[in-house]
Amino acid sequence: MTESTPHIPGATPTACCPPIVTAALSEGDAEIMAAMFKALSDPVRLRLLSRVASHPNGEACVCDIADVGVSQPTVSHHLKKLREAGLLTSERRGTWVYYRPAPGVLASLGVFLADTEKAGKEEVALAARAS
């Protein structure tokens, strides 16, 4: 049984928004990005996302990432918030839940924050197409 990531209206698994230095955000894109950044503004959530994203298998069992200095129910709450923001997907396998970054979301955040003057517009365009 697969737990689906809640859908954020207007969100796609690929880049939602142009780099912030190249165009003004629409109201919808601003809401999508704000939800993601709000979820990432908590240090525990940021650590959990980092543990999932850096896990060798590209996904991590909650049993492998839960040691972040808070109780297990609090870890579950934070993982739920990351899923709701569209940053993680999850899948239940037996008694364990496995998490992985939502497809394209990390690249999308990187492209969105890219400084096109330093990165070069061609690199930003390539990164946007790759995500």
Side-chain angles (χ1 to χ4, degrees), residues 49-112:
L49 179 64
S50 173
R51 285 182 175 209
V52 170
S54 66
H55 201 273
N57 297 330
E59 67 177 4
C61 173
V62 69
C63 61
D64 294 330
I65 60 172
D67 185 21
V68 290
V70 296
S71 68
Q72 198 287 317
T74 302
V75 168
S76 292
H77 168 76
H78 287 305
L79 289 167
K80 177 183 175 188
K81 293 296 183 181
L82 290 168
R83 281 193 336 266
E84 288 174 347
L87 294 162
L88 291 178
T89 62
S90 63
E91 180 181 352
R92 179 171 295 281
R93 296 182 200 151
T95 59
W96 297 109
V97 178
Y98 289 79
Y99 293 88
R100 70 189 61 76
V105 76
L106 299 178
S108 178
L109 288 172
V111 168
F112 175 72

Short mmCIF file of all heavy atoms in Angstrom, two decimals, residues 49-112:
data_model
loop_
_atom_site.label_atom_id
_atom_site.label_comp_id
_atom_site.label_asym_id
_atom_site.label_seq_id
_atom_site.Cartn_x
_atom_site.Cartn_y
_atom_site.Cartn_z
N LEU A 49 14.94 15.66 6.29
CA LEU A 49 15.02 15.70 4.82
C LEU A 49 16.44 15.38 4.37
O LEU A 49 16.64 14.61 3.43
CB LEU A 49 14.59 17.07 4.28
CG LEU A 49 14.68 17.20 2.76
CD1 LEU A 49 13.71 16.25 2.07
CD2 LEU A 49 14.41 18.63 2.35
N SER A 50 17.42 15.91 5.05
CA SER A 50 18.81 15.64 4.71
C SER A 50 19.15 14.16 4.87
O SER A 50 19.82 13.57 4.02
CB SER A 50 19.73 16.49 5.60
OG SER A 50 21.07 16.14 5.42
N ARG A 51 18.66 13.56 5.93
CA ARG A 51 18.93 12.12 6.15
C ARG A 51 18.28 11.27 5.06
O ARG A 51 18.88 10.30 4.60
CB ARG A 51 18.44 11.70 7.53
CG ARG A 51 19.35 12.18 8.62
CD ARG A 51 18.88 11.71 9.96
NE ARG A 51 19.87 12.10 10.97
CZ ARG A 51 20.08 11.44 12.08
NH1 ARG A 51 19.38 10.37 12.34
NH2 ARG A 51 20.98 11.86 12.93
N VAL A 52 17.07 11.63 4.66
CA VAL A 52 16.40 10.87 3.61
C VAL A 52 17.13 11.07 2.29
O VAL A 52 17.46 10.11 1.59
CB VAL A 52 14.92 11.28 3.48
CG1 VAL A 52 14.29 10.67 2.24
CG2 VAL A 52 14.14 10.90 4.73
N ALA A 53 17.40 12.31 1.94
CA ALA A 53 18.02 12.63 0.64
C ALA A 53 19.42 12.06 0.51
O ALA A 53 19.84 11.69 -0.59
CB ALA A 53 18.03 14.14 0.43
N SER A 54 20.14 11.97 1.61
CA SER A 54 21.53 11.50 1.54
C SER A 54 21.66 10.00 1.80
O SER A 54 22.76 9.46 1.77
CB SER A 54 22.40 12.26 2.54
OG SER A 54 22.00 11.97 3.88
N HIS A 55 20.56 9.32 2.05
CA HIS A 55 20.62 7.88 2.33
C HIS A 55 21.12 7.14 1.09
O HIS A 55 20.70 7.44 -0.03
CB HIS A 55 19.24 7.36 2.74
CG HIS A 55 19.31 6.08 3.49
ND1 HIS A 55 19.32 4.86 2.86
CD2 HIS A 55 19.41 5.82 4.80
CE1 HIS A 55 19.42 3.90 3.76
NE2 HIS A 55 19.46 4.46 4.96
N PRO A 56 22.01 6.18 1.27
CA PRO A 56 22.61 5.48 0.12
C PRO A 56 21.62 4.85 -0.85
O PRO A 56 21.87 4.77 -2.04
CB PRO A 56 23.49 4.40 0.77
CG PRO A 56 23.74 4.87 2.16
CD PRO A 56 22.56 5.72 2.55
N ASN A 57 20.46 4.42 -0.38
CA ASN A 57 19.50 3.75 -1.25
C ASN A 57 18.56 4.73 -1.96
O ASN A 57 17.68 4.29 -2.70
CB ASN A 57 18.66 2.75 -0.46
CG ASN A 57 19.51 1.65 0.12
OD1 ASN A 57 20.54 1.28 -0.43
ND2 ASN A 57 19.10 1.12 1.26
N GLY A 58 18.69 6.03 -1.68
CA GLY A 58 17.77 7.00 -2.26
C GLY A 58 16.44 7.04 -1.54
O GLY A 58 15.55 7.80 -1.91
N GLU A 59 16.31 6.22 -0.54
CA GLU A 59 15.13 6.21 0.32
C GLU A 59 15.59 5.74 1.69
O GLU A 59 16.63 5.11 1.82
CB GLU A 59 14.04 5.30 -0.23
CG GLU A 59 14.40 3.84 -0.21
CD GLU A 59 13.27 2.94 -0.70
OE1 GLU A 59 12.22 3.45 -1.12
OE2 GLU A 59 13.44 1.72 -0.64
N ALA A 60 14.80 6.06 2.71
CA ALA A 60 15.18 5.66 4.05
C ALA A 60 13.97 5.20 4.84
O ALA A 60 12.90 5.81 4.75
CB ALA A 60 15.86 6.82 4.77
N CYS A 61 14.17 4.14 5.59
CA CYS A 61 13.15 3.66 6.51
C CYS A 61 13.11 4.62 7.69
O CYS A 61 14.16 5.12 8.13
CB CYS A 61 13.52 2.26 6.98
SG CYS A 61 12.45 1.62 8.27
N VAL A 62 11.95 4.86 8.21
CA VAL A 62 11.83 5.74 9.37
C VAL A 62 12.71 5.23 10.51
O VAL A 62 13.26 6.02 11.28
CB VAL A 62 10.36 5.93 9.80
CG1 VAL A 62 9.78 4.66 10.37
CG2 VAL A 62 10.22 7.08 10.76
N CYS A 63 12.91 3.92 10.59
CA CYS A 63 13.75 3.35 11.64
C CYS A 63 15.21 3.78 11.51
O CYS A 63 15.95 3.78 12.50
CB CYS A 63 13.63 1.84 11.66
SG CYS A 63 14.16 1.03 10.13
N ASP A 64 15.64 4.16 10.29
CA ASP A 64 17.02 4.56 10.06
C ASP A 64 17.29 6.06 10.28
O ASP A 64 18.43 6.47 10.36
CB ASP A 64 17.44 4.23 8.62
CG ASP A 64 17.47 2.74 8.36
OD1 ASP A 64 17.74 1.97 9.31
OD2 ASP A 64 17.21 2.34 7.21
N ILE A 65 16.24 6.85 10.34
CA ILE A 65 16.44 8.31 10.39
C ILE A 65 15.85 8.96 11.63
O ILE A 65 15.96 10.17 11.80
CB ILE A 65 15.83 8.98 9.14
CG1 ILE A 65 14.33 8.71 9.05
CG2 ILE A 65 16.57 8.56 7.88
CD1 ILE A 65 13.61 9.49 7.97
N ALA A 66 15.22 8.18 12.51
CA ALA A 66 14.46 8.73 13.62
C ALA A 66 15.31 9.31 14.75
O ALA A 66 14.79 10.01 15.61
CB ALA A 66 13.50 7.69 14.18
N ASP A 67 16.60 9.05 14.78
CA ASP A 67 17.45 9.51 15.87
C ASP A 67 17.90 10.96 15.62
O ASP A 67 19.02 11.23 15.22
CB ASP A 67 18.67 8.59 16.02
CG ASP A 67 19.52 8.97 17.21
OD1 ASP A 67 19.01 9.63 18.13
OD2 ASP A 67 20.71 8.60 17.21
N VAL A 68 16.97 11.89 15.85
CA VAL A 68 17.28 13.31 15.66
C VAL A 68 17.04 14.12 16.94
O VAL A 68 16.92 15.34 16.89
CB VAL A 68 16.48 13.92 14.48
CG1 VAL A 68 16.97 13.38 13.15
CG2 VAL A 68 15.00 13.70 14.66
N GLY A 69 16.98 13.42 18.08
CA GLY A 69 16.88 14.10 19.35
C GLY A 69 15.47 14.45 19.81
O GLY A 69 15.30 15.21 20.75
N VAL A 70 14.46 13.91 19.13
CA VAL A 70 13.08 14.12 19.56
C VAL A 70 12.38 12.77 19.61
O VAL A 70 12.88 11.78 19.08
CB VAL A 70 12.31 15.10 18.61
CG1 VAL A 70 12.93 16.49 18.65
CG2 VAL A 70 12.27 14.58 17.19
N SER A 71 11.21 12.73 20.23
CA SER A 71 10.48 11.46 20.36
C SER A 71 9.99 10.96 19.01
O SER A 71 9.86 11.72 18.06
CB SER A 71 9.29 11.65 21.31
OG SER A 71 8.32 12.49 20.71
N GLN A 72 9.67 9.65 18.95
CA GLN A 72 9.20 9.06 17.71
C GLN A 72 7.90 9.70 17.22
O GLN A 72 7.77 9.98 16.02
CB GLN A 72 9.05 7.54 17.87
CG GLN A 72 9.00 6.77 16.56
CD GLN A 72 7.69 6.94 15.81
OE1 GLN A 72 6.61 6.92 16.41
NE2 GLN A 72 7.77 7.12 14.51
N PRO A 73 6.93 10.01 18.10
CA PRO A 73 5.73 10.69 17.60
C PRO A 73 6.04 12.06 17.00
O PRO A 73 5.41 12.47 16.01
CB PRO A 73 4.84 10.82 18.84
CG PRO A 73 5.28 9.70 19.73
CD PRO A 73 6.77 9.59 19.49
N THR A 74 7.03 12.75 17.54
CA THR A 74 7.42 14.05 17.00
C THR A 74 8.09 13.88 15.64
O THR A 74 7.85 14.66 14.72
CB THR A 74 8.34 14.79 17.99
OG1 THR A 74 7.64 14.94 19.23
CG2 THR A 74 8.73 16.16 17.47
N VAL A 75 8.90 12.84 15.49
CA VAL A 75 9.50 12.54 14.18
C VAL A 75 8.39 12.29 13.16
O VAL A 75 8.43 12.83 12.04
CB VAL A 75 10.46 11.33 14.26
CG1 VAL A 75 10.84 10.83 12.88
CG2 VAL A 75 11.70 11.69 15.06
N SER A 76 7.40 11.50 13.52
CA SER A 76 6.28 11.21 12.61
C SER A 76 5.55 12.50 12.23
O SER A 76 5.18 12.68 11.06
CB SER A 76 5.30 10.23 13.26
OG SER A 76 5.92 8.98 13.40
N HIS A 77 5.36 13.38 13.17
CA HIS A 77 4.70 14.67 12.89
C HIS A 77 5.52 15.47 11.88
O HIS A 77 4.97 16.01 10.91
CB HIS A 77 4.54 15.47 14.19
CG HIS A 77 4.16 16.88 13.97
ND1 HIS A 77 2.88 17.28 13.63
CD2 HIS A 77 4.89 18.02 14.02
CE1 HIS A 77 2.85 18.59 13.49
NE2 HIS A 77 4.06 19.06 13.71
N HIS A 78 6.82 15.54 12.09
CA HIS A 78 7.68 16.31 11.18
C HIS A 78 7.71 15.69 9.78
O HIS A 78 7.69 16.40 8.78
CB HIS A 78 9.09 16.44 11.74
CG HIS A 78 9.19 17.39 12.89
ND1 HIS A 78 8.77 18.69 12.81
CD2 HIS A 78 9.67 17.23 14.14
CE1 HIS A 78 8.99 19.30 13.97
NE2 HIS A 78 9.54 18.42 14.80
N LEU A 79 7.77 14.36 9.71
CA LEU A 79 7.75 13.70 8.40
C LEU A 79 6.43 13.95 7.68
O LEU A 79 6.40 14.16 6.46
CB LEU A 79 8.02 12.20 8.56
CG LEU A 79 9.45 11.84 8.95
CD1 LEU A 79 9.53 10.37 9.38
CD2 LEU A 79 10.42 12.14 7.83
N LYS A 80 5.33 13.98 8.43
CA LYS A 80 4.03 14.29 7.84
C LYS A 80 4.04 15.70 7.26
O LYS A 80 3.55 15.93 6.15
CB LYS A 80 2.94 14.17 8.91
CG LYS A 80 1.56 14.56 8.40
CD LYS A 80 0.53 14.49 9.52
CE LYS A 80 -0.81 15.01 9.00
NZ LYS A 80 -1.78 15.13 10.09
N LYS A 81 4.60 16.65 7.96
CA LYS A 81 4.68 18.04 7.47
C LYS A 81 5.52 18.12 6.20
O LYS A 81 5.18 18.87 5.27
CB LYS A 81 5.23 18.98 8.54
CG LYS A 81 4.31 19.16 9.73
CD LYS A 81 3.02 19.82 9.30
CE LYS A 81 2.10 20.09 10.47
NZ LYS A 81 0.85 20.71 10.06
N LEU A 82 6.60 17.36 6.12
CA LEU A 82 7.44 17.34 4.92
C LEU A 82 6.68 16.72 3.74
O LEU A 82 6.80 17.19 2.61
CB LEU A 82 8.75 16.59 5.18
CG LEU A 82 9.73 17.30 6.12
CD1 LEU A 82 10.84 16.34 6.55
CD2 LEU A 82 10.30 18.55 5.47
N ARG A 83 5.88 15.69 4.01
CA ARG A 83 5.05 15.09 2.95
C ARG A 83 3.98 16.08 2.49
O ARG A 83 3.76 16.24 1.30
CB ARG A 83 4.37 13.80 3.44
CG ARG A 83 5.26 12.59 3.45
CD ARG A 83 4.50 11.28 3.62
NE ARG A 83 3.21 11.37 4.28
CZ ARG A 83 2.99 11.19 5.59
NH1 ARG A 83 4.00 10.90 6.39
NH2 ARG A 83 1.78 11.28 6.09
N GLU A 84 3.31 16.73 3.44
CA GLU A 84 2.26 17.69 3.09
C GLU A 84 2.78 18.85 2.26
O GLU A 84 2.07 19.39 1.42
CB GLU A 84 1.59 18.23 4.36
CG GLU A 84 0.72 17.21 5.06
CD GLU A 84 0.18 17.69 6.39
OE1 GLU A 84 0.66 18.73 6.92
OE2 GLU A 84 -0.72 17.02 6.93
N ALA A 85 4.02 19.23 2.49
CA ALA A 85 4.63 20.33 1.73
C ALA A 85 5.12 19.87 0.36
O ALA A 85 5.61 20.68 -0.43
CB ALA A 85 5.79 20.93 2.53
N GLY A 86 5.02 18.58 0.08
CA GLY A 86 5.44 18.07 -1.22
C GLY A 86 6.92 17.77 -1.32
O GLY A 86 7.44 17.56 -2.42
N LEU A 87 7.61 17.72 -0.20
CA LEU A 87 9.05 17.49 -0.21
C LEU A 87 9.42 16.01 -0.15
O LEU A 87 10.47 15.61 -0.66
CB LEU A 87 9.71 18.22 0.97
CG LEU A 87 9.62 19.74 0.87
CD1 LEU A 87 9.89 20.38 2.23
CD2 LEU A 87 10.60 20.26 -0.17
N LEU A 88 8.58 15.19 0.47
CA LEU A 88 8.84 13.75 0.59
C LEU A 88 7.64 12.96 0.09
O LEU A 88 6.51 13.45 0.12
CB LEU A 88 9.07 13.36 2.05
CG LEU A 88 10.32 13.83 2.75
CD1 LEU A 88 10.32 13.37 4.21
CD2 LEU A 88 11.58 13.35 2.05
N THR A 89 7.92 11.75 -0.35
CA THR A 89 6.87 10.76 -0.58
C THR A 89 7.14 9.60 0.37
O THR A 89 8.26 9.47 0.90
CB THR A 89 6.87 10.25 -2.04
OG1 THR A 89 8.10 9.60 -2.31
CG2 THR A 89 6.64 11.38 -3.03
N SER A 90 6.14 8.77 0.59
CA SER A 90 6.33 7.66 1.51
C SER A 90 5.60 6.42 1.00
O SER A 90 4.67 6.51 0.21
CB SER A 90 5.81 8.03 2.90
OG SER A 90 4.42 8.27 2.87
N GLU A 91 6.09 5.28 1.48
CA GLU A 91 5.49 4.00 1.12
C GLU A 91 5.58 3.09 2.33
O GLU A 91 6.66 2.92 2.90
CB GLU A 91 6.23 3.39 -0.06
CG GLU A 91 5.69 2.06 -0.50
CD GLU A 91 6.47 1.48 -1.66
OE1 GLU A 91 7.35 2.15 -2.24
OE2 GLU A 91 6.21 0.31 -1.98
N ARG A 92 4.46 2.51 2.71
CA ARG A 92 4.44 1.55 3.82
C ARG A 92 4.81 0.17 3.28
O ARG A 92 4.27 -0.29 2.28
CB ARG A 92 3.08 1.50 4.47
CG ARG A 92 3.02 0.50 5.62
CD ARG A 92 1.75 0.60 6.41
NE ARG A 92 1.61 1.85 7.12
CZ ARG A 92 2.22 2.16 8.27
NH1 ARG A 92 3.03 1.29 8.83
NH2 ARG A 92 2.02 3.33 8.84
N ARG A 93 5.75 -0.47 3.97
CA ARG A 93 6.14 -1.85 3.67
C ARG A 93 6.13 -2.62 4.98
O ARG A 93 7.03 -2.46 5.80
CB ARG A 93 7.53 -1.90 3.05
CG ARG A 93 7.62 -1.20 1.72
CD ARG A 93 9.01 -1.33 1.13
NE ARG A 93 9.21 -0.28 0.14
CZ ARG A 93 10.38 0.24 -0.16
NH1 ARG A 93 11.48 -0.19 0.44
NH2 ARG A 93 10.48 1.20 -1.05
N GLY A 94 5.11 -3.42 5.14
CA GLY A 94 4.96 -4.13 6.41
C GLY A 94 4.69 -3.14 7.52
O GLY A 94 3.77 -2.32 7.42
N THR A 95 5.53 -3.17 8.56
CA THR A 95 5.32 -2.26 9.68
C THR A 95 6.09 -0.96 9.54
O THR A 95 5.91 -0.05 10.34
CB THR A 95 5.73 -2.93 11.01
OG1 THR A 95 7.10 -3.31 10.93
CG2 THR A 95 4.87 -4.14 11.30
N TRP A 96 6.95 -0.87 8.54
CA TRP A 96 7.80 0.31 8.38
C TRP A 96 7.34 1.19 7.23
O TRP A 96 6.77 0.72 6.26
CB TRP A 96 9.26 -0.09 8.14
CG TRP A 96 9.84 -0.83 9.30
CD1 TRP A 96 10.14 -2.16 9.35
CD2 TRP A 96 10.16 -0.29 10.58
NE1 TRP A 96 10.64 -2.48 10.59
CE2 TRP A 96 10.66 -1.35 11.37
CE3 TRP A 96 10.08 0.98 11.15
CZ2 TRP A 96 11.07 -1.18 12.68
CZ3 TRP A 96 10.48 1.14 12.46
CH2 TRP A 96 10.98 0.07 13.21
N VAL A 97 7.64 2.47 7.37
CA VAL A 97 7.35 3.43 6.30
C VAL A 97 8.70 3.91 5.75
O VAL A 97 9.61 4.25 6.51
CB VAL A 97 6.53 4.63 6.82
CG1 VAL A 97 6.30 5.64 5.70
CG2 VAL A 97 5.20 4.15 7.39
N TYR A 98 8.81 3.90 4.43
CA TYR A 98 10.03 4.34 3.75
C TYR A 98 9.75 5.69 3.08
O TYR A 98 8.71 5.90 2.48
CB TYR A 98 10.46 3.31 2.69
CG TYR A 98 11.00 2.05 3.32
CD1 TYR A 98 10.14 1.08 3.84
CD2 TYR A 98 12.37 1.84 3.42
CE1 TYR A 98 10.63 -0.06 4.44
CE2 TYR A 98 12.86 0.69 4.02
CZ TYR A 98 11.99 -0.25 4.52
OH TYR A 98 12.50 -1.38 5.11
N TYR A 99 10.72 6.58 3.20
CA TYR A 99 10.60 7.93 2.66
C TYR A 99 11.64 8.17 1.58
O TYR A 99 12.75 7.64 1.65
CB TYR A 99 10.79 8.96 3.79
CG TYR A 99 9.68 8.90 4.80
CD1 TYR A 99 9.75 8.03 5.88
CD2 TYR A 99 8.55 9.69 4.64
CE1 TYR A 99 8.72 7.96 6.80
CE2 TYR A 99 7.51 9.62 5.56
CZ TYR A 99 7.61 8.76 6.64
OH TYR A 99 6.57 8.69 7.54
N ARG A 100 11.27 8.99 0.61
CA ARG A 100 12.22 9.42 -0.43
C ARG A 100 11.85 10.86 -0.80
O ARG A 100 10.70 11.26 -0.65
CB ARG A 100 12.19 8.49 -1.62
CG ARG A 100 10.97 8.53 -2.48
CD ARG A 100 10.92 7.42 -3.53
NE ARG A 100 10.90 6.07 -2.99
CZ ARG A 100 9.84 5.49 -2.42
NH1 ARG A 100 8.71 6.13 -2.32
NH2 ARG A 100 9.91 4.26 -1.98
N PRO A 101 12.83 11.61 -1.31
CA PRO A 101 12.48 12.97 -1.77
C PRO A 101 11.48 12.88 -2.91
O PRO A 101 11.54 11.97 -3.75
CB PRO A 101 13.82 13.53 -2.27
CG PRO A 101 14.87 12.71 -1.59
CD PRO A 101 14.26 11.33 -1.42
N ALA A 102 10.54 13.79 -2.94
CA ALA A 102 9.58 13.83 -4.04
C ALA A 102 10.34 14.06 -5.34
O ALA A 102 11.33 14.79 -5.36
CB ALA A 102 8.56 14.94 -3.80
N PRO A 103 9.91 13.42 -6.42
CA PRO A 103 10.63 13.54 -7.69
C PRO A 103 10.83 15.00 -8.12
O PRO A 103 9.86 15.75 -8.21
CB PRO A 103 9.73 12.79 -8.68
CG PRO A 103 8.92 11.88 -7.84
CD PRO A 103 8.73 12.58 -6.53
N GLY A 104 12.07 15.36 -8.34
CA GLY A 104 12.41 16.68 -8.87
C GLY A 104 12.37 17.83 -7.89
O GLY A 104 12.78 18.93 -8.22
N VAL A 105 11.91 17.58 -6.66
CA VAL A 105 11.71 18.72 -5.76
C VAL A 105 13.02 19.36 -5.30
O VAL A 105 13.11 20.58 -5.21
CB VAL A 105 10.82 18.32 -4.55
CG1 VAL A 105 11.57 17.50 -3.54
CG2 VAL A 105 10.24 19.55 -3.91
N LEU A 106 14.05 18.57 -5.04
CA LEU A 106 15.33 19.16 -4.60
C LEU A 106 15.96 19.96 -5.73
O LEU A 106 16.47 21.07 -5.51
CB LEU A 106 16.27 18.07 -4.09
CG LEU A 106 15.75 17.29 -2.88
CD1 LEU A 106 16.74 16.21 -2.48
CD2 LEU A 106 15.45 18.20 -1.71
N ALA A 107 15.92 19.43 -6.94
CA ALA A 107 16.43 20.18 -8.09
C ALA A 107 15.63 21.44 -8.31
O ALA A 107 16.17 22.50 -8.62
CB ALA A 107 16.42 19.30 -9.34
N SER A 108 14.32 21.35 -8.12
CA SER A 108 13.44 22.50 -8.29
C SER A 108 13.80 23.61 -7.31
O SER A 108 13.87 24.78 -7.68
CB SER A 108 11.99 22.07 -8.09
OG SER A 108 11.12 23.16 -8.20
N LEU A 109 14.04 23.24 -6.05
CA LEU A 109 14.44 24.25 -5.06
C LEU A 109 15.77 24.87 -5.44
O LEU A 109 15.96 26.09 -5.30
CB LEU A 109 14.52 23.62 -3.67
CG LEU A 109 13.20 23.26 -3.01
CD1 LEU A 109 13.45 22.47 -1.73
CD2 LEU A 109 12.38 24.50 -2.72
N GLY A 110 16.71 24.05 -5.91
CA GLY A 110 18.02 24.57 -6.31
C GLY A 110 17.92 25.53 -7.48
O GLY A 110 18.54 26.60 -7.48
N VAL A 111 17.12 25.18 -8.47
CA VAL A 111 16.94 26.05 -9.63
C VAL A 111 16.26 27.35 -9.21
O VAL A 111 16.65 28.43 -9.63
CB VAL A 111 16.11 25.33 -10.73
CG1 VAL A 111 15.67 26.30 -11.81
CG2 VAL A 111 16.94 24.21 -11.34
N PHE A 112 15.26 27.24 -8.36
CA PHE A 112 14.53 28.41 -7.90
C PHE A 112 15.45 29.41 -7.21
O PHE A 112 15.33 30.62 -7.40
CB PHE A 112 13.41 27.99 -6.95
CG PHE A 112 12.68 29.13 -6.32
CD1 PHE A 112 11.83 29.92 -7.09
CD2 PHE A 112 12.83 29.43 -4.99
CE1 PHE A 112 11.14 30.99 -6.53
CE2 PHE A 112 12.15 30.49 -4.41
CZ PHE A 112 11.31 31.27 -5.18
#
